[in-house]
Amino acid sequence: MKNAIVAFALLQLVAICDDLLAQQSGPISSLGQRNMPEGQIAEGMPYNGTTKDLSWMYRELPPPRQVQIHDLIHIRVDERAQAFSDGEIDRKKSGQYAAILTDWIRLDGINSIKPAVQADGDPRITGTLNQRLKSEAEMETSEGLKFTIAAEVQEILPNGTLKLEARKTITVNDEIWVYHLRGVCRTEDINPNNTVLSEHLADLTITKEDHGSVRDAYRRGWFLTLWDKVHWF
């Protein structure tokens, strides 16, 4: 009795699998039936439709926009840098010095020079020098820059890449922020919303300048700048 039940269940499973395979090989939606050729609908032939034929939500992408000189492209700058440095130095130097003055001279009048006898023996100088330098240093820096700027196409190179240049000035009371950006990008890297990421730009140069009372508060004077460059001690 159990064997008969198992056999019956297997037959039902095989029938269900055959029905699923038959459905997959033919149209499974009214949209697919609508887009199928009439001859295949009548003959019941399998039809392998594309996404355009079988999807209710399919939309064709607009053709790529032809970029021209002086067009504006938005650049989204998101640059981050992080550096770690760890160093140690241990230097030791020792030396011994010994000097003996065996001969000396003396003036005998104006036109005569004679050896000077050392009555108390030859002068001697003896010394020992010990020097040790030990230094440990550890540095960790983290920097970030994030903003959006509109760049102008300055030149289109023969291979289709674009030379971009952007400049932005923000003034709030006495505070002034100036941003300047240059770089080269491919036309394929420009998103449909006319935006390109800064990481896709080659030969990228970003400059940010601050002017105003806040900048004057922590800016070094000319003397400290010269002192740091020369490193007197």
Side-chain angles (χ1 to χ4, degrees), residues 49-114:
T50 61
T51 304
K52 176 181 179 181
D53 300 329
L54 302 177
S55 176
W56 293 94
M57 303 176 62
Y58 176 81
R59 292 183 60 188
E60 292 187 2
L61 294 176
R65 183 172 64 89
Q66 297 294 329
V67 181
Q68 300 180 359
I69 297 179
H70 302 306
D71 282 355
L72 297 181
I73 297 175
H74 297 281
I75 300 177
R76 189 171 299 166
V77 179
D78 190 359
E79 298 291 331
R80 296 186 180 184
Q82 194 171 12
F84 300 91
S85 180
D86 188 5
E88 181 178 354
I89 182 173
D90 189 358
R91 184 176 62 184
K92 185 177 181 181
K93 181 179 180 181
S94 61
Q96 295 182 352
Y97 302 92
I100 302 175
L101 182 61
T102 58
D103 295 315
W104 194 241
I105 58 175
R106 63 182 178 84
L107 295 176
D108 188 4
I110 299 177
N111 300 323
S112 178
I113 299 177
K114 295 182 178 181

Side-chain angles (χ1 to χ4, degrees), residues 1 45 55-56 93 111-112 133 137 140 174 200 202 216 219 221 232:
M1 185 66 179
M45 298 175 59
S55 176
W56 293 94
K93 181 179 180 181
N111 300 323
S112 178
L133 175 62
E140 178 180 353
D174 295 333
H200 293 158
D216 295 339
R219 182 174 57 183
W232 299 95

Side-chain angles (χ1 to χ4, degrees), residues 85-159:
S85 180
D86 188 5
E88 181 178 354
I89 182 173
D90 189 358
R91 184 176 62 184
K92 185 177 181 181
K93 181 179 180 181
S94 61
Q96 295 182 352
Y97 302 92
I100 302 175
L101 182 61
T102 58
D103 295 315
W104 194 241
I105 58 175
R106 63 182 178 84
L107 295 176
D108 188 4
I110 299 177
N111 300 323
S112 178
I113 299 177
K114 295 182 178 181
V117 179
Q118 305 295 326
D120 297 332
D122 296 333
R124 297 173 177 267
I125 299 176
T126 303
T128 302
L129 176 64
N130 293 321
Q131 182 180 4
R132 183 172 182 177
L133 175 62
K134 186 175 182 180
S135 176
E136 296 181 1
E138 183 176 354
M139 181 182 67
E140 178 180 353
T141 61
S142 179
E143 300 177 358
L145 188 63
K146 187 174 182 179
F147 61 93
T148 302
I149 191 171
E152 183 180 359
V153 179
Q154 298 292 328
E155 183 180 357
I156 301 178
L157 301 180
N159 61 351

Side-chain angles (χ1 to χ4, degrees), residues 5-16:
I5 295 175
V6 172
F8 179 76
L10 291 176
L11 291 175
Q12 293 293 329
L13 182 60
V14 171
I16 293 173

